[in-house]
Amino acid sequence: MPQCIAQQDQSTWLSTMTKCTSHRCTNWFIWCTHQQWLTQLSCLGTGFSSDIIARYLPYCSRSVLAKAQLYQWIHAITGRTWLVQVGDATGLQSLSPASLTEGYAAFEVTDRAPTCLTDSESAESMEPFQHVIASCAFTATTRHTGNAARPWEYSGSLKSMVALDSETAGYDLTHGRISFGSYFDKECFCTTFTYDPYNEPCLGLDLAKERLWIHATCGSTSLPYKWMDNLKIMGFAYVRIEDWYFSVDAAELPKQVVELTDRCVTDACEVDSGGYCKVKHAVDRDCFCGALTIDPEAESRSGLELTKEWLWINATCGPTALPNDWTDKLQTTRFAYIPKEEWHWPKCVVDMPKQVIERANHLCSTDACEVDANGYCKVKRAVDRACFCYDIAYDSCGGSCHIFETRIDYVKWLHDLCDNVKDWHGLPDNWRQLAAPIPLDMIPWRWTIKPTGTCVSNEWKLRSLALINMATLIAAFLTQGKLRPQISRIFLWNPHPGSWVSKGALIVALQLLANWVNTFLIQNNPGYGDIPVVQVMLFWCSMPRLTWLIILLTDARSFEALESSVVPSSLFAELIFQLLSSYYMAMTVQYGRKHNFYSGGLQNAERGTPAQLMYIGALAWVSIICLALVGLILAAYFRAQKSWRSEKTSLMRSQGGAYGTFPVADQKNQVSHKIPLALFQILVLGMLLLWIAQWLLWGGFIGVSSEEFCPPKLGILTVVWVSSSFASVIVAAT
């Protein structure tokens, strides 16, 4: 007998079988020697009609496994492929584990349900809980519950067939395998056993067990909205007793807290991995916090002990039980105390006095609370910020603490560490200027020319440079009428090489002589005797000057006159000056790169704008030199290529014979003369750009240095430079 039939009223089922059963002779010997009650199978095929099955089908349809088992029995007896109507058995022949759409659960989980739930009835059908569970039950494999060899028997006293065996619905109907045991179909149970959330059978702890069991089995669909509210479940409202006492012991709370805890111990549900209730001892937080009272006047604890206690109370019950100003008395690492692992010294720590180091390591070192993620105290070694800042100021550290980048780091460290400490005034009034590069920091070299009296303004210094360049320009125009401008062949051998070399060397010598004379004049003034002569002379070599302007006044339209040495001598002199300038230009670029002046390091700096001009000028100078070199190399390469092609053409014509009157040599000269003109243009453009870059450097330097660069008797120095410029132009033009 199928399981779902055995669980219902069997009278109609047995009556149908009885009608097909009769007492018949099974052995004859002259007369009947043995009779037996036999059931005619063909009669059963007719007897178990759709009307008979329809009475049992609603119950059997609860579980897909029970319905499939019934179908197999009917199909075997009657041969039909349906139960009541054609098509109602579709899919029952080919079940799979997925046919149990909501899954299944072991029958033992019903032991997790509270008694008030298992003794209750379905809200709609009033069917008992246990009966509903039984209707949805199945086993891992189909099992017999009685005499499998004799499942039926005719009872003479009852005059009816009786069942001696029934079969359980088995999971093997799905062609799958599970562990041996009894199970129930979740979908079957959850759709059959209706749950009324407004008339629940359980209260208190059993209510938590009930809802957790329903949720783990059927989900939250049938449960009330916010079904976990006010349940006795471990979480915030109920705390595991072990966790509670662990936090109490860690906070070293007073005895009255422990006594109050014992009064609020109860049972609550700890949700296990399956979602069911596991009863544990817990502390009722509302009970504890409602009875807790704090009297600040009677509080005898202080420091770290008070901090641990009040943090524990705040994390457990909130701040309502604490005084309004309770945070002011805490010894925590939020600001007042700095954890040792977060403490750091400035870069100039090597120059800090020993007593300052000792304050952080010993005198001001203490224990403090680091507030963890749950709000409780985690004791750590820390530095008392107020204690350390009490006896430290900007002047507490000297040496590298007052030098450029280490000074900036030191000022920022002091400000971040102590600025918000009450009554601390350890930084000077101009600390914001000290926290950025000062003018002396922005100058790459360490020598200065400081005034002993009044210093001329920056405007007069710039006018002096402009006057020197104007004098050179005037001298170049005055000498123009006496010249026969010719462009020399720069990259071909000069018939008299010593002429332009000596003139170029003389131009350089005149400028260096002027630089030395001016340095000598400065040194002879009181208070200026320690200036570095060579360094100052090299720096003055980088001044913007127009000595090379004489080149532009030559006639660049023809290339026949090669005797003049104006162009090569001026270019040679300018090359020497740029080589001498490279020392300070390269130094400036390297210094700016090292100190991040090219990537925002001059922001908020006093005189930052002229400093930017100075460093841009130096970088531009270096870039122009590199580009000019590349241009010269490319021009020389193309010149060599064209010369080689020209010579090859001439050779081929000489071998094959030249016809006509075309001058082959003149053609070669015309080709070879174009490249030096291109080189000449590159050099002139490069010198103009270098002159602009030098102006940027000197203009920025004068703006940054101000009184740190104040040569005495500037008028006399200017006259010396003007004179040397006149002389240089005359030498170049003659």
Side-chain angles (χ1 to χ4, degrees):
M1 180 182 289
Q3 173 182 295
C4 64
I5 304 298
Q7 292 173 342
Q8 300 182 67
D9 181 5
Q10 306 166 16
S11 58
T12 302
W13 189 275
L14 294 176
S15 175
T16 301
M17 296 193 69
T18 301
K19 290 177 182 179
C20 295
T21 303
S22 60
H23 199 239
R24 295 189 179 189
C25 180
T26 58
N27 191 12
W28 286 83
F29 183 73
I30 303 176
W31 61 81
C32 182
T33 60
H34 185 268
Q35 290 183 326
Q36 191 173 2
W37 291 96
L38 298 178
T39 302
Q40 187 176 357
L41 294 179
S42 59
C43 175
L44 290 179
T46 305
F48 283 105
S49 64
S50 299
D51 294 336
I52 298 297
I53 302 302
R55 301 178 187 181
Y56 294 96
L57 187 60
Y59 184 91
C60 291
S61 296
R62 291 181 180 180
S63 171
V64 67
L65 295 180
K67 187 177 180 181
Q69 184 190 32
L70 174 63
Y71 167 77
Q72 286 188 352
W73 196 93
I74 292 297
H75 180 67
I77 296 298
T78 68
R80 293 202 309 267
T81 57
W82 70 90
L83 295 173
V84 176
Q85 295 177 345
V86 175
D88 61 2
T90 302
L92 296 180
Q93 304 95 324
S94 56
L95 294 182
S96 68
S99 301
L100 297 172
T101 54
E102 298 299 327
Y104 57 89
F107 213 80
E108 289 78 8
V109 300
T110 57
D111 297 336
R112 302 284 190 90
T115 305
C116 54
L117 177 62
T118 57
D119 290 345
S120 66
E121 298 174 340
S122 173
E124 292 184 2
S125 64
M126 304 303 293
E127 186 177 355
F129 176 94
Q130 298 290 1
H131 192 268
V132 174
I133 281 284
S135 69
C136 300
F138 63 90
T139 53
T141 57
T142 301
R143 292 187 304 185
H144 291 273
T145 60
N147 187 354
R150 186 179 175 84
W152 308 97
E153 184 179 78
Y154 183 82
S155 173
S157 60
L158 297 176
K159 297 182 179 181
S160 172
M161 292 288 287
V162 294
L164 302 180
D165 178 43
S166 66
E167 290 181 334
T168 62
Y171 187 79
D172 52 357
L173 290 170
T174 66
H175 308 287
R177 299 178 63 183
I178 56 176
S179 301
F180 180 83
S182 298
Y183 303 87
F184 67 91
D185 183 345
K186 284 187 176 182
E187 183 183 21
C188 168
F189 173 82
C190 297
T191 55
T192 306
F193 188 84
T194 54
Y195 175 82
D196 185 1
Y198 302 101
N199 187 23
E200 297 179 278
C202 303
L203 298 172
L205 181 62
D206 285 341
L207 178 62
K209 292 181 182 180
E210 169 200 326
R211 290 186 178 179
L212 286 173
W213 195 92
I214 294 292
H215 178 262
T217 304
C218 303
S220 58
T221 308
S222 60
L223 291 171
Y225 178 66
K226 295 184 178 180
W227 62 274
M228 293 190 71
D229 290 354
N230 302 319
L231 293 185
K232 298 185 75 173
I233 298 177
M234 297 291 185
F236 181 79
Y238 295 87
V239 184
R240 292 177 71 248
I241 193 74
E242 297 86 357
D243 296 339
W244 182 278
Y245 278 119
F246 178 79
S247 66
V248 168
D249 294 340
E252 300 177 0
L253 297 179
K255 184 178 179 181
Q256 56 267 32
V257 172
V258 179
E259 294 174 350
L260 183 59
T261 296
D262 294 340
R263 289 162 43 189
C264 296
V265 174
T266 184
D267 286 336
C269 283
E270 183 177 69
V271 183
D272 64 12
S273 58
Y276 300 103
C277 173
K278 186 177 182 180
V279 179
K280 292 270 189 177
H281 290 310
V283 176
D284 186 340
R285 192 186 296 266
D286 289 340
C287 167
F288 177 86
C289 296
L292 179 67
T293 56
I294 297 294
D295 185 3
E297 302 298 330
E299 185 62 66
S300 60
R301 311 177 99 194
S302 62
L304 187 63
E305 291 183 348
L306 181 66
T307 300
K308 290 196 287 186
E309 177 184 341
W310 283 7
L311 283 176
W312 187 91
I313 292 174
N314 178 66
T316 304
C317 301
T320 44
L322 295 169
N324 293 331
D325 61 343
W326 69 278
T327 56
D328 297 340
K329 300 178 181 180
L330 297 185
Q331 192 168 316
T332 65
T333 58
R334 287 173 178 167
F335 177 77
Y337 296 84
I338 307 170
K340 279 297 184 74
E341 60 268 22
E342 296 180 14
W343 177 269
H344 70 279
W345 293 100
K347 296 177 182 177
C348 60
V349 62
V350 292
D351 289 330
M352 278 194 163
K354 184 177 179 181
Q355 57 269 28
V356 174
I357 304 295
E358 289 297 316
R359 289 184 69 82
N361 293 340
H362 300 290
L363 184 61
C364 298
S365 182
T366 184
D367 287 333
C369 282
E370 181 180 72
V371 183
D372 65 15
N374 296 318
Y376 298 109
C377 172
K378 184 178 180 181
V379 179
K380 287 202 168 188
R381 292 299 293 173
V383 177
D384 187 338
R385 189 187 296 264
C387 168
F388 180 82
C389 294
Y390 175 77
D391 197 29
I392 189 173
Y394 177 74
D395 293 328
S396 298
C397 176
S400 61
C401 291
H402 291 183
I403 298 176
F404 193 16
E405 289 173 327
T406 51
R407 180 199 69 246
I408 295 173
D409 177 69
Y410 175 56
V411 170
K412 290 181 178 179
W413 177 78
L414 269 180
H415 179 265
D416 294 342
L417 181 65
C418 301
D419 187 61
N420 290 325
V421 174
K422 187 178 180 181
D423 298 329
W424 184 80
H425 305 286
L427 286 173
D429 295 337
N430 65 334
W431 69 269
R432 286 183 175 81
Q433 286 75 29
L434 296 174
I438 61 176
L440 280 178
D441 296 332
M442 295 182 283
I443 300 174
W445 44 91
R446 301 276 67 90
W447 56 265
T448 59
I449 302 179
K450 292 185 178 180
T452 55
T454 303
C455 181
V456 297
S457 65
N458 291 341
E459 289 76 10
W460 276 109
K461 298 174 190 176
L462 292 173
R463 288 171 188 168
S464 173
L465 286 176
L467 184 60
I468 296 169
N469 283 268
M470 288 178 62
T472 307
L473 182 63
I474 293 170
F477 277 104
L478 289 176
T479 57
Q480 182 185 11
K482 300 178 182 181
L483 293 175
R484 292 182 179 180
Q486 300 174 8
I487 302 177
S488 301
R489 188 175 306 194
I490 300 172
F491 291 97
L492 297 177
W493 286 103
N494 194 293
H496 305 287
S499 175
W500 63 268
V501 172
S502 58
K503 286 174 69 174
L506 182 57
I507 294 171
V508 174
L510 287 172
Q511 295 293 338
L512 291 177
L513 178 63
N515 291 348
W516 178 82
V517 170
N518 283 343
T519 307
F520 177 76
L521 292 175
I522 292 173
Q523 273 193 323
N524 285 338
N525 283 276
Y528 292 91
D530 57 346
I531 66 171
V533 177
V534 177
Q535 293 287 333
V536 174
M537 287 180 62
L538 277 176
F539 182 62
W540 279 337
C541 287
S542 66
M543 282 196 306
R545 62 184 77 245
L546 287 172
T547 310
W548 54 272
L549 190 63
I550 190 67
I551 301 173
L552 293 180
L553 301 178
T554 59
D555 185 5
R557 294 172 297 177
S558 64
F559 200 85
E560 289 78 12
L562 303 175
E563 292 82 3
S564 175
S565 59
V566 174
V567 174
S569 62
S570 298
L571 288 177
F572 178 70
E574 191 63 26
L575 176 62
I576 299 299
F577 281 128
Q578 296 303 334
L579 285 174
L580 295 174
S581 299
S582 64
Y583 174 76
Y584 274 95
M585 292 296 185
M587 178 193 299
T588 304
V589 172
Q590 174 62 15
Y591 189 81
R593 187 195 61 80
K594 178 181 178 182
H595 298 286
N596 298 318
F597 289 164
Y598 291 109
S599 56
L602 293 174
Q603 290 181 355
N604 304 321
E606 182 184 2
R607 306 177 195 171
T609 301
Q612 288 177 344
L613 288 177
M614 180 176 71
Y615 284 98
I616 289 173
L619 182 61
W621 187 94
V622 172
S623 302
I624 294 165
I625 288 291
C626 294
L627 291 175
L629 288 174
V630 172
L632 289 172
I633 292 171
L634 291 175
Y637 171 76
F638 288 125
R639 178 192 178 192
Q641 288 288 101
K642 289 188 177 183
S643 297
W644 178 79
R645 291 195 191 101
S646 178
E647 291 175 359
K648 183 178 179 181
T649 303
S650 300
L651 180 61
M652 291 174 64
R653 287 181 177 177
S654 64
Q655 290 175 350
Y659 296 91
T661 58
F662 185 78
V664 177
D666 289 346
Q667 184 185 13
K668 176 181 176 181
N669 289 338
Q670 289 178 1
V671 173
S672 62
H673 293 168
K674 294 179 181 179
I675 299 301
L677 287 174
L679 296 178
F680 172 78
Q681 292 169 356
I682 292 173
L683 290 172
V684 171
L685 179 60
M687 287 186 290
L688 176 61
L689 295 176
L690 290 173
W691 178 74
I692 295 173
Q694 288 173 327
W695 262 110
L696 289 175
L697 180 129
W698 269 82
F701 168 70
I702 290 173
V704 172
S705 59
S706 193
E707 293 191 355
E708 302 298 328
F709 180 74
C710 194
K713 301 178 181 179
L714 184 60
I716 297 175
L717 304 182
T718 304
V719 169
V720 173
W721 276 315
V722 168
S723 302
S724 69
S725 297
F726 262 103
S728 298
V729 172
I730 293 171
V731 169
T734 55

